[in-house]
């Protein structure tokens, strides 16, 4: 039997207490009540009962004859309002996650392991909450400040960090504020690294080392706190001395640049001078080798010449010795213009070789023709060389007669000396 089926001598067993005993005309209204009692329970009936109870409470137990019955129009109005509220509640649950974002779901404040992807989604309002986190965007922060170096100098440094969100859940709930925590970790890592190096190295050659060391320190901190972040790049933007000593450091930097410029100029000069020096050295080496070969060959030639003279010397030592002496004197005296001759007396004889050589050069063409004509006639005569020599000496004596009186005696002595050499077979040619 249904709980609202009529019974008990025609009285309704409605648990809401809406019987018709209080109405004198209750028998006339039994039909509609009975028909409504047979319907299934729905929201309209519940709201109707609630409205009747509220109506009774508002009227103080009912002041009119029909106060015991709820108003049908009031119940339906409340049902409509409730339906509208349900529709609004359901519609308010729709939301959109943008491209590149992930939604972190919390149900009654508890984080759910699953995340919502991009697109249109729905959540039960007042039950679930969704926080979108962009995991594709590259974020950046800057850490700067005045820091102490290893050589107890003060430097103002700036560092820029680029990072992404690797795990949205850890990024939101592992620490209170991941961005602020990363900023503090960057400042701490930068100060730690700056304190390891001197100011000169930080301002000049150590910028790359500072950058790499800062990135390593920052990654270690992120790994320890597990903040759900991933460091992409670290840029060491600027490092400069304080304004009070900036001029002095600028002078130091200018001096260092001048040093590098001078070094480059010296390298350029060395690159130009070294090939020339190497070429000169190689030329001197080749000249030395050529001189060595020439000296060796000349020595070998002298040895061969003396080896040929040795039999002649053994055959006629005096004549060979005299001939060698005369040839040597010819070589030595042939390079001088004047010769002083000591004839074992108190007088010194001066030989003007320059004038004699000039006179011999001018007399050479005239002496050639008589020799050529005399050669056939005197070919059989054994004394032909002596005749030619005397013939040659007479023109020379005649040409030298025009000299000054002070050189006449010298010329005669020279001619006599030459005739003596020719008679001994030791003359030139």
């Amino acid at each position: 039997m249904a709980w609202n089926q009529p019974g008990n001598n025609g009285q309704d067993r409605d648990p809401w207490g809406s019987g018709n005993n209080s109405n004198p005309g209750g028998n006339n209204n039994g039909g509609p009540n009975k028909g409504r009692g047979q319907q299934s329970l729905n929201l309209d009936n519940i709201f109707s009962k609630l409205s009747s109870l509220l109506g009774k409470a508002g009227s103080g137990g009912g002041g009119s004859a029909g106060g015991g019955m709820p108003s049908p129009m009031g119940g339906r109005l409340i049902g409509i309002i409730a339906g509208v509220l349900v529709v609004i509640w359901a519609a308010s649950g729709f939301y959109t996650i943008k491209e590149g974002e992930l939604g972190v779901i919390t149900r009654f404040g508890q984080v759910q392991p699953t995340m919502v992807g991009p697109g249109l989604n729905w959540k039960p309002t007042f039950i679930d909450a969704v926080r979108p986190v962009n995991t594709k965007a590259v974020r950046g922060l800057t850490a700067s400040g005045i820091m102490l170096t290893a050589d107890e100098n003060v430097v103002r440094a700036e560092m820029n960090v680029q990072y992404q969100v690797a795990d949205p859940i850890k990024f939101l709930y592992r620490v209170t504020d991941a961005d602020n925590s990363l900023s503090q970790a960057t400042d701490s890592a930068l100060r730690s690294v700056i304190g390891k190096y001197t100011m000169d190295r930080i301002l000049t050659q150590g910028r790359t080392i500072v950058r790499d060391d800062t990135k390593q320190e920052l990654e270690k901190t992120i790994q320890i706190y597990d903040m759900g972040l991933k460091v992409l790049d670290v840029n060491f933007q600027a490092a400069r001395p304080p304004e009070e000593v900036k001029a002095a450091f600028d002078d130091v930097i200018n001096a260092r640049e001048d040093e590098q410029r001078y070094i480059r100029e010296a390298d350029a000069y060395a690159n130009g001078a070294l090939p020339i020096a190497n070429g000169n050295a190689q030329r001197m080496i080749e000249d030395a080798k050529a001189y060595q070969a020439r000296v060796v060959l000349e020595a070998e030639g002298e040895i061969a010449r003396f080896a040929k003279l040795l039999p002649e010397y053994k055959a006629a030592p005096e004549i060979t010795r005299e001939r060698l002496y005369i040839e040597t004197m010819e070589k030595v005296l042939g390079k001088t213009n004047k010769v002083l001759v000591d004839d074992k007396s108190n007088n010194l004889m001066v030989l003007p070789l320059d004038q004699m050589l000039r006179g011999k050069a001018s007399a050479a063409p005239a002496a050639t023709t008589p020799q050529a004509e005399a050669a056939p006639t005197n070919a059989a005569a054994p004394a032909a060389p002596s005749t030619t020599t005397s013939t040659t000496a007479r023109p020379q004596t005649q040409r030298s007669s025009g000299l000054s009186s002070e050189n006449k005696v010298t010329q005669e002595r020279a001619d006599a000396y030459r005739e003596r050499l020719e008679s001994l077979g030791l003359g030139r040619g």
Side-chain angles (χ1 to χ4, degrees):
M1 178 183 297
W3 64 271
N4 58 352
Q5 182 176 356
N8 194 12
N9 297 325
Q11 296 183 358
D12 192 5
R13 294 181 180 180
D14 192 349
W16 300 100
S18 57
N20 52 4
N21 293 331
S22 58
N23 286 329
N27 294 330
N28 297 329
N29 297 330
N33 291 334
K34 183 177 180 180
R36 188 168 54 250
Q38 293 178 355
Q39 296 176 359
S40 61
L41 183 63
N42 52 32
L43 291 176
D44 290 339
N45 294 331
I46 294 174
F47 285 115
S48 298
K49 302 300 182 181
L50 289 175
S51 61
S52 63
L53 291 176
L54 293 174
K56 289 180 180 180
S59 59
S64 61
M69 292 295 296
S71 174
M73 295 298 296
R76 291 185 179 181
L77 181 60
I78 292 176
I80 293 172
I81 293 174
V84 171
L85 292 176
V86 171
V87 172
I88 294 173
W89 173 80
S92 64
F94 290 98
Y95 64 96
T96 302
I97 300 296
K98 297 180 180 179
E99 187 67 26
E101 293 181 347
L102 291 177
V104 180
I105 301 174
T106 56
R107 183 164 297 160
F108 296 110
Q110 184 178 4
V111 179
Q112 302 298 312
T114 59
M115 290 180 289
V116 182
L120 182 63
N121 300 278
W122 183 84
K123 63 178 178 63
T125 308
F126 308 119
I127 298 176
D128 289 355
V130 179
R131 295 182 62 180
V133 178
N134 195 330
T135 59
K136 301 297 182 181
V138 177
R139 308 186 181 196
L141 60 88
T142 302
S144 62
I146 298 177
M147 305 173 188
L148 190 65
T149 61
D151 54 352
E152 297 182 357
N153 284 321
V154 177
V155 63
R156 183 181 297 275
E158 294 183 4
M159 181 73 71
N160 178 267
V161 180
Q162 296 179 356
Y163 64 97
Q164 282 183 333
V165 177
D167 190 337
I169 296 177
K170 295 179 180 179
F171 172 75
L172 292 175
Y173 301 106
R174 181 67 66 177
V175 293
T176 303
D177 189 351
D179 294 328
N180 186 26
S181 300
L182 182 62
S183 177
Q184 296 179 5
T186 303
D187 186 76
S188 176
L190 181 58
R191 292 180 182 275
S192 175
V193 173
I194 291 294
K196 295 179 182 179
Y197 302 101
T198 61
M199 186 172 187
D200 183 69
R201 189 171 186 182
I202 293 171
L203 295 178
T204 56
Q205 302 175 356
R207 298 175 62 88
T208 304
I209 300 176
V210 172
R211 170 187 172 277
D212 296 338
D213 291 351
T214 304
K215 185 177 181 180
Q216 292 178 3
E217 291 290 336
L218 190 58
E219 289 176 348
K220 289 180 182 178
T221 304
I222 293 175
Q223 186 177 3
I224 292 173
Y225 285 94
D226 197 14
M227 293 186 290
L229 298 177
K230 179 177 65 175
V231 177
L232 300 178
D233 193 12
V234 176
N235 297 320
F236 192 34
Q237 291 185 336
R240 59 184 182 276
E243 296 297 332
E244 294 78 7
V245 294
K246 187 176 183 300
F249 276 95
D250 291 341
D251 293 339
V252 173
I253 293 174
N254 293 333
R256 185 177 294 107
E257 292 177 353
D258 292 339
E259 176 188 4
Q260 297 298 324
R261 179 171 58 84
Y262 291 146
I263 291 174
R264 289 191 294 270
E265 291 178 355
D267 292 338
Y269 175 76
N271 294 332
L274 282 177
I276 298 175
N278 292 331
N280 293 333
Q282 190 65 28
R283 180 177 58 81
M284 294 176 67
I285 292 173
E286 296 297 332
D287 292 344
K289 290 180 179 179
Y291 174 76
Q292 177 186 7
R294 181 173 60 83
V295 170
V296 170
L297 292 176
E298 288 179 354
E300 292 177 352
E302 292 292 332
I303 293 173
R305 187 173 65 86
F306 280 109
K308 292 181 179 180
L309 288 175
L310 182 59
E312 297 180 2
Y313 179 78
K314 290 180 179 181
E318 294 296 334
I319 297 176
T320 305
R321 188 184 298 112
E322 186 70 17
R323 182 177 180 179
L324 292 175
Y325 173 74
I326 293 173
E327 290 178 354
T328 303
M329 292 303 295
E330 286 180 350
K331 291 180 180 179
V332 175
L333 299 177
K335 300 178 181 178
T336 61
N337 296 328
K338 293 183 180 181
V339 178
L340 297 178
V341 179
D342 185 6
D343 57 351
K344 297 181 181 181
S345 64
N346 295 329
N347 297 324
L348 290 177
M349 183 177 60
V350 179
L351 297 178
L353 297 181
D354 52 348
Q355 299 176 5
M356 295 172 62
L357 292 175
R358 285 197 298 269
K360 184 179 180 180
S362 60
T368 303
T369 304
Q371 289 179 358
E373 294 176 352
T377 59
N378 298 328
S386 300
T387 305
T388 306
T389 305
S390 61
T391 305
T392 307
R394 277 192 226 101
Q396 291 180 356
T397 305
Q398 293 175 359
R399 285 190 298 272
S400 62
S401 61
L403 299 174
S404 62
S405 59
E406 62 182 7
N407 295 329
K408 187 175 181 180
V409 177
T410 302
Q411 183 65 34
E412 292 176 354
R413 291 181 179 180
D415 293 339
Y417 179 72
R418 187 181 299 107
E419 290 177 357
R420 181 182 177 187
L421 292 177
E422 291 176 353
S423 64
L424 295 176
L426 301 175
R428 295 184 181 178

